[in-house]
Amino acid sequence: MTRQVVEGVSVPTDHFIGGRWVSSPRRFETRSPIGWELLAEVARGDADTAAAAVGAAVESFAAWSAMSIGDRAGVLHRLADLIEAHTDEIARVETRDMGFLFESMKQRLVARGALNFRTYADLMVGHRNRTWDAKNMWNQVQRQPAGPAVVITPWNAPFMLSTWKLAPALAAGNSVIHKPAEWSPLTAGLLAELTVEAGFPPGAYNVVQGVGSEVGAALVADPRVRRISFTGSPDTARTIGQAAATNIVPFTAELGGKGAFLVFADADLDAAAHRAAWQYDDSGQVCLAGTRLLVAAEVRDEFLTRFHQHADALVLGDPRDPTTDIAPLVHPDHRDRVHGFVERARAAGDVIVRGGRPVTGSLHYEPTLIEPASNLSEVVQREIFGPVLTLQSFADEAEAIALANSTPYGLSAQIWTSSRLRAERVGAAVRAGLVWVNTFLVRDLTAPFGGCGISGIGREGGDYALDFHSDLKTLMILDDSTE
Ligand code: NAD
């Protein structure tokens, strides 16, 4: 098995298939966003790797799906215990590989990884099949494990996001082939090691590393796969959706966002401005971020003054340093992509209110605010996935809602107001899968999670994800036929 020491942690860099570490003749580099130094050369899977991984998942499915729910939940809780015991190592490796703030990674994201497994273990144990009498029949809805599932994840917050998608698939009784993103592949190997210690049977959790268009495409095209759970960009979702359609496989897609951040005149302006500046958190590489600041015209100037005060206080630096607020972007290509949006906005006549340049000598990008010339400006209509916000104002509630609903996305929105009635009214009118009022990100994991429009297909979270990963069967017994 090939390993590489990263931040003092020995990390496996091969595929994990059928309980064994498997190499590939070709490898790809993963580099750290902190100094762009080479961290590891990771196995680069191909069509044969994908076929082997699906084969291992098919073989393991019988044992994993037949395990009693209590036993399976026990294995998932043991995995959660192990994640908690290894929090520091996982967070160190992920910070170096992906660049997110270490403290936030440790306290928020790795802890959430453990909670993801606990939540789905408990949901399975607590689940009762729905039963009812109708038309002289006893009816029962049963959840049957669906079969091998492919889980494809993006490079941002890889550990938390992966566990969020893996936990329901595994809890439902499906064996899984996980394809992590090539820009942040390392913590998937650490998770694989922990699954062995937790008592997963070989082949229940498989990791295939490599490039999306190579091994990812081969995985989703395999007809033995019975579920595809994807998080990433709309463009990739379109390609994967075609493979899912060919094999008639249920497919969920959690895609990008262009969240509206609505500030009404009756809001706590300082709290709203503070939270608005924190949309730069993780350098804006957050699908849920409220990147379109939509502010009531009469408080626009005061809001902007306060916003600048909070944004000025943000410290850009090394994500391992606890005094750092804003981490670097993940990759030079991504930095160039972000800058491309800003350059085109400048050329098109949008006003760069703050920032607008890459930081020399690092992968940081200046926290940027743009006042667009029009609501049709590219920076308003397309996801940038960097520290770039737009500022627009509205005259009344109707215009606020119209602006909020004016992009093809519909993942999240935030509403800042002191009026409960307005919160309910505007909350109902905004087209988004998740709407927060006077807060952000905090949510119950049993709630549905997903987007409208090009932000996604289907819902994750709670029973929604367990239903997706199951074949729902209705059993109907004629009342007279029982003795
Ligand atoms: P991406 O679509 O480029 O890649 C995502 C994953 O798909 C990677 O693992 C990649 O290797 C794989 N992939 C690429 N081509 C493939 C193919 N043809 N077949 C199979 N797999 C393939 O996305 P990204 O750049 O890694 O992630 C950023 C995007 O993810 C942003 O749009 C962001 O908003 C979105 N995202 C959404 C959520 C959400 O929950 N809604 C969460 C995080 C990120």
Side-chain angles (χ1 to χ4, degrees):
M1 187 217 313
T2 316
R3 306 185 75 99
Q4 182 68 45
V5 175
V6 176
E7 288 288 311
V9 181
S10 173
V11 183
T13 56
D14 286 335
H15 316 291
F16 183 66
I17 298 175
R20 292 186 309 115
W21 296 96
V22 178
S23 189
S24 275
R26 293 191 305 163
R27 303 189 81 82
F28 67 96
E29 291 184 346
T30 182
R31 290 178 172 270
S32 174
I34 300 173
W36 203 236
E37 66 282 10
L38 179 65
L39 292 181
E41 294 191 332
V42 180
R44 180 169 173 167
D46 55 17
D48 290 343
T49 322
V54 176
V58 168
E59 210 173 302
S60 154
F61 176 67
W64 181 245
S65 60
M67 199 183 262
S68 77
I69 285 172
D71 286 350
R72 208 155 61 222
V75 173
L76 296 181
H77 274 296
R78 274 201 295 284
L79 180 59
D81 294 342
L82 288 163
I83 291 170
E84 282 164 359
H86 291 82
T87 295
D88 199 69
E89 293 108 286
I90 296 167
R92 284 212 306 274
V93 172
E94 184 124 308
T95 292
R96 191 78 183 280
D97 194 24
M98 196 272 136
F100 271 9
L101 300 181
F102 173 71
E103 282 304 325
S104 158
M105 190 68 78
K106 195 170 146 178
Q107 287 166 26
R108 204 161 53 98
L109 299 182
V110 181
R112 205 4 238 290
L115 183 62
N116 289 335
F117 285 108
R118 292 201 193 289
T119 300
Y120 279 100
D122 291 346
L123 277 171
M124 283 301 289
V125 170
H127 177 72
R128 298 289 169 268
N129 287 335
R130 182 183 161 218
T131 60
W132 72 103
D133 291 301
K135 300 197 185 294
N136 204 26
M137 300 230 255
W138 181 83
N139 300 270
Q140 183 181 54
V141 179
Q142 300 178 348
R143 277 183 184 156
Q144 315 265 301
V150 165
V151 172
I152 300 184
T153 51
W155 49 260
N156 69 317
F159 189 80
M160 188 283 282
L161 264 172
S162 301
T163 53
W164 170 240
K165 299 177 78 65
L166 295 168
L170 290 162
N174 298 338
S175 46
V176 169
I177 308 106
H178 176 203
K179 156 63 185 87
E182 47 271 54
W183 284 356
S184 56
L186 294 182
T187 49
L190 295 179
L191 182 67
E193 281 194 314
L194 298 183
T195 62
V196 177
E197 222 179 314
F200 280 61
Y205 175 57
N206 305 277
V207 180
V208 167
Q209 299 280 13
V211 175
S213 57
E214 298 172 0
V215 74
L219 283 172
V220 297
D222 193 312
R224 295 172 293 173
V225 166
R226 295 321 305 153
R227 289 294 183 274
I228 300 172
S229 169
F230 171 72
T231 298
S233 63
D235 282 347
T236 307
R238 289 184 181 102
T239 307
I240 295 178
Q242 287 172 11
T246 300
N247 291 332
I248 320 223
V249 177
F251 161 56
T252 50
E254 295 297 337
L255 309 176
K258 198 71 205 176
F261 187 106
L262 292 152
V263 182
F264 288 93
D266 59 12
D268 176 340
L269 276 193
D270 199 57
H274 180 253
R275 184 52 84 178
W278 273 98
Q279 303 305 302
Y280 293 131
D281 195 14
D282 298 327
S283 267
Q285 301 169 121
V286 178
C287 55
L288 295 167
T291 50
R292 292 182 297 136
L293 309 182
L294 305 172
V295 183
E298 65 261 46
V299 294
R300 181 244 181 231
D301 291 352
E302 188 186 341
F303 172 85
L304 187 56
T305 304
R306 290 171 187 262
F307 173 83
H308 280 312
Q309 283 164 0
H310 291 296
D312 287 346
L314 296 173
V315 177
L316 278 59
D318 186 320
R320 294 167 295 187
D321 181 341
T323 63
T324 296
D325 295 313
I326 305 290
L329 291 166
V330 66
H331 195 283
D333 290 355
H334 188 52
R335 189 256 331 264
D336 295 348
R337 181 179 174 274
V338 168
H339 191 48
F341 276 103
V342 176
E343 287 294 90
R344 290 192 295 278
R346 213 187 301 266
D350 296 344
V351 177
I352 314 296
V353 179
R354 68 176 294 138
R357 285 182 311 260
V359 174
T360 312
S362 85
L363 283 178
H364 285 90
Y365 197 85
E366 292 177 349
T368 298
L369 182 68
I370 300 177
E371 274 198 305
S374 136
N375 191 49
L376 296 177
S377 291
E378 186 191 35
V379 284
V380 177
Q381 293 296 326
R382 284 190 60 199
E383 184 189 45
I384 301 171
F385 219 50
V388 181
L389 308 179
T390 56
L391 176 67
Q392 296 167 272
S393 46
F394 57 81
D396 54 25
E397 206 173 282
E399 192 185 7
I401 293 165
L403 285 170
N405 293 344
S406 68
T407 78
Y409 297 90
L411 183 58
S412 73
Q414 293 171 58
I415 301 169
W416 293 80
T417 177
S418 58
S419 159
R420 171 72 190 224
L421 280 178
R422 191 201 297 277
E424 291 191 14
R425 203 166 52 232
V426 178
V430 167
R431 190 175 58 100
L434 301 134
V435 181
W436 279 280
V437 179
N438 298 330
T439 185
F440 182 45
L441 287 184
V442 183
R443 68 190 180 83
D444 185 292
L445 299 187
T446 62
F449 178 93
C452 315
I454 65 165
S455 288
I457 301 172
R459 292 291 180 269
E460 297 183 331
D463 284 331
Y464 304 91
L466 289 172
D467 281 350
F468 168 74
H469 280 289
S470 310
D471 284 325
L472 297 185
K473 174 191 285 181
T474 309
L475 177 66
M476 292 154 284
I477 302 178
L478 186 66
D479 273 343
D480 294 352
S481 66
T482 50
E483 293 189 356

